[in-house]
């Protein structure tokens, strides 16, 4: 199963697109990972794991922003991990 254009549009509409790291609990841009009460997130709902902190550190508040292309690439890298769950939907 692959993600359709309609599925992509739904996810973007639901998650939104964020170019800096934010707290998924409050939706606010954070300046430090320790500022997050929920999970640090970026792009189209990409939850940042602790082993990715250095990779996304430049995008903490006050830093630079990801480009639209970087966000889209990150999303396309994330989607295949969820295919196994999508295949269980009837």
């Amino acid at each position: 199963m692959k993600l359709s254009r309609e599925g992509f549009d739904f996810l973007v509409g639901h998650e939104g697109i964020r170019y800096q790291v934010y707290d998924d609990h409050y939706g606010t841009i954070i300046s430090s990972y320790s500022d997050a009460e929920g999970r640090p997130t970026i792009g189209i709902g990409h939850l940042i794991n602790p082993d990715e902190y250095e990779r996304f550190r430049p995008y903490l508040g006050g830093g630079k922003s990801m480009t639209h292309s970087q966000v889209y690439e990150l999303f396309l890298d994330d989607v295949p991990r969820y295919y196994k769950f999508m295949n269980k939907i009837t």
Side-chain angles (χ1 to χ4, degrees), residues 37-49:
E37 291 195 29
R39 295 272 310 269
T41 307
I42 195 165
I44 304 170
H46 177 84
L47 297 173
I48 302 172
N49 294 313

Side-chain angles (χ1 to χ4, degrees), residues 22-41:
Y22 66 98
D23 179 351
D24 76 338
H25 184 75
Y26 292 109
T28 54
I29 292 174
I30 57 175
S31 297
S32 167
Y33 290 117
S34 62
D35 291 343
E37 291 195 29
R39 295 272 310 269
T41 307

Side-chain angles (χ1 to χ4, degrees), residues 1-5 7 11 76 78-90:
M1 180 178 279
K2 294 253 182 200
L3 182 66
S4 68
R5 181 64 195 195
L11 288 171
L76 291 178
D78 283 347
V79 169
R81 284 185 269 177
Y82 299 99
Y83 284 159
K84 63 183 173 189
F85 300 109
M86 290 170 50
N87 288 330
K88 294 181 181 181
I89 298 172
T90 57

